[in-house]
Amino acid sequence: MRTTTLGRGGAEVGRIGLGCMGMSWAYDEAGRDDTESIKVIRRAIDLGVTLIDTADAYGPFSNEQLVGRALRGRRDEVVLATKVGLMPDGERTLHRNARPEYIRGAIDGSLARLGVDYVDLYQLHRVDPAVPLAESWGALADLVAAGKVRAIGLSEATVDEIREAHAIHPVASVQSELSLWTRDRLADVVPYTEEHGIAFLPFSPLGRGFLTGRITSAEQLAEGDMRRKLPRFQGAAFEANQALVEKVTALAERLGVTPGQVALAWVVAQGEYVVPIPGTKRLRYLEENAAAGDVDLPADALAELDALPAAVGDRYGTAIAGATVSPR
Ligand SMILES: NC(=O)c1ccc[n+]([C@@H]2O[C@H](COP(=O)([O-])OP(=O)(O)OC[C@H]3O[C@@H](n4cnc5c(N)ncnc54)[C@H](OP(=O)(O)O)[C@@H]3O)[C@@H](O)[C@H]2O)c1
């Protein structure tokens, strides 16, 4: 697996990372298989997929515990990333909380669940409009000074927010949705991060599985799978978006790779410090995704992908991770 660094001067990571959310939450929770997921994480390390992403919110908490179990004895081989500042309540409504005192307590919980004494990357899951960013970011920077985290990052932040934070303490990474069907950030955050040597970590780089061509109807998704609530997976939008997948599939066949590998290789091609974190709980998919790190798309293929039509439907609508985002 080819490598890059977590931004200019950052830790070395494989060009493809691993998102662990779906192993515990959001997608097909009834199909959860911790034993298999642990195998996936450990195999990922063998393959050079060294950036491992989780969050306290996933489960909540159980995903960090799972990652901790998987990393026993192998902690030093990975760049371990988790998040703070977004937490579901019992109704699965997600609440933002980026108050300094909350952040200070949350890191200790994450370290305990992960079974480590520091994390490599601690990300603010969402900027909290109720708390000045300087205060949230200052609390995160204090954790670097305390040795509990090595670097800090943002998630779904705007260029203005990244600039403000960067002036206080270096922003190591920004995580946001980026894929062939969500390309908005190419217009602002991706060029900004590239210029400033900040890593950009695309989440849902496979369009939550849609771009692999393996989801052929919304009914195929389990009851309670959060994707059933997302506008792009519903009715006419789902049908219209199949046209996108058909184009990606045709290109993949020409190149002798899979549609998912085309989707990931296109994301990787967006910048030196762009490291997608596709999620899977299956060894077969993990191996396919890892191999995408070594796929070079020729210029005409990249141009063809750049010219794909926009997806039909909002990416979230009112649903996020099975819940509605609280304005708090
Ligand atoms: N910062 C944020 O707010 C935020 C939001 C969302 C996600 N994330 C992070 O980003 C990570 C990835 O995003 P994601 O899981 O939403 O979306 P994704 O990586 O685009 O897609 C994951 C889905 O695709 C399926 N899949 C994976 N590889 C496949 C392959 N080769 N062939 C067919 N299907 C495949 C998975 O199936 P199986 O599970 O059945 O293997 C899963 O259902 C998450 O795990 C999380 O760490 C962050």
Side-chain angles (χ1 to χ4, degrees):
M1 157 87 62
R2 285 187 286 214
T3 60
T4 182
T5 51
L6 195 65
R8 200 177 295 135
E12 182 174 81
V13 287
R15 288 283 357 205
I16 305 277
L18 177 66
C20 298
M21 175 182 80
M23 295 173 180
S24 312
W25 129 286
Y27 310 143
D28 184 21
E29 289 176 31
R32 175 180 166 172
D33 181 343
D34 284 359
T35 306
E36 192 65 14
S37 293
I38 287 171
K39 285 187 195 155
V40 168
I41 296 170
R42 296 177 76 88
R43 178 80 181 126
I45 305 169
D46 296 338
L47 295 172
V49 175
T50 49
L51 176 63
I52 307 289
D53 184 73
T54 178
D56 57 358
Y58 301 158
F61 309 123
S62 54
N63 195 241
E64 285 187 332
Q65 286 162 339
L66 174 77
V67 170
R69 283 171 59 201
L71 294 185
R72 233 168 262 162
R74 304 199 64 179
R75 192 264 169 272
D76 293 341
E77 298 175 64
V78 302
V79 173
L80 178 58
T82 190
K83 314 186 193 78
V84 63
L86 192 66
M87 189 51 75
D89 60 21
E91 308 299 315
R92 294 197 155 212
T93 299
L94 286 158
H95 298 278
R96 298 180 189 213
N97 186 347
R99 294 178 206 290
E101 61 278 15
Y102 176 77
I103 291 172
R104 279 194 287 273
I107 184 62
D108 292 334
S110 287
L111 293 176
R113 285 185 292 277
L114 290 162
V116 298
D117 47 21
Y118 69 92
V119 294
D120 298 279
L121 179 65
Y122 202 38
Q123 303 157 101
L124 185 60
H125 212 152
R126 292 289 184 280
V127 172
D128 181 348
V131 182
L133 177 56
E135 288 182 18
S136 311
W137 197 247
L140 287 162
D142 289 346
L143 299 180
V144 178
K148 295 184 179 185
V149 316
R150 289 274 156 90
I152 52 179
L154 290 163
S155 171
E156 293 268 274
T158 64
V159 166
D160 285 347
E161 289 164 346
I162 300 164
R163 188 183 292 114
E164 181 185 344
H166 207 51
I168 297 168
H169 182 98
V171 176
S173 67
V174 177
Q175 186 171 135
S176 270
E177 187 165 351
L178 176 68
S179 69
L180 285 170
W181 79 350
T182 302
R183 286 174 269 171
D184 321 56
R185 295 289 70 81
L186 291 179
D188 47 27
V189 173
V190 175
Y192 184 88
T193 51
E194 201 67 16
E195 183 189 339
H196 291 84
I198 296 169
F200 184 87
L201 312 181
F203 74 70
S204 305
L206 294 168
R208 302 181 187 268
F210 190 87
L211 296 166
T212 67
R214 291 194 174 116
I215 303 176
T216 51
S217 86
E219 288 67 46
Q220 194 183 320
L221 301 171
E223 281 300 317
D225 187 307
M226 66 88 84
R227 289 170 290 193
R228 281 176 169 254
K229 294 186 184 163
L230 300 178
R232 291 181 185 175
F233 284 86
Q234 289 176 19
F238 186 96
E239 294 308 322
N241 287 324
Q242 288 294 338
L244 237 163
V245 176
E246 282 162 18
K247 289 198 164 76
V248 177
T249 304
L251 177 64
E253 281 170 7
R254 280 201 329 264
L255 297 172
V257 297
T258 68
Q261 288 174 329
V262 167
L264 292 175
W266 175 85
V267 170
V268 167
Q270 302 309 313
E272 186 181 352
Y273 304 121
V274 175
V275 183
I277 46 168
T280 181
K281 38 189 185 299
R282 294 164 217 272
L283 283 166
R284 182 162 60 93
Y285 291 172
L286 168 80
E287 291 181 358
E288 180 184 324
N289 298 346
D294 292 322
V295 171
D296 271 324
L297 293 174
D300 60 336
L302 286 170
E304 200 176 314
L305 294 166
D306 289 344
L308 284 176
V312 175
D314 290 344
R315 62 191 183 107
Y316 278 129
T318 53
I320 172 176
T324 306
V325 183
S326 154
R328 188 151 74 84

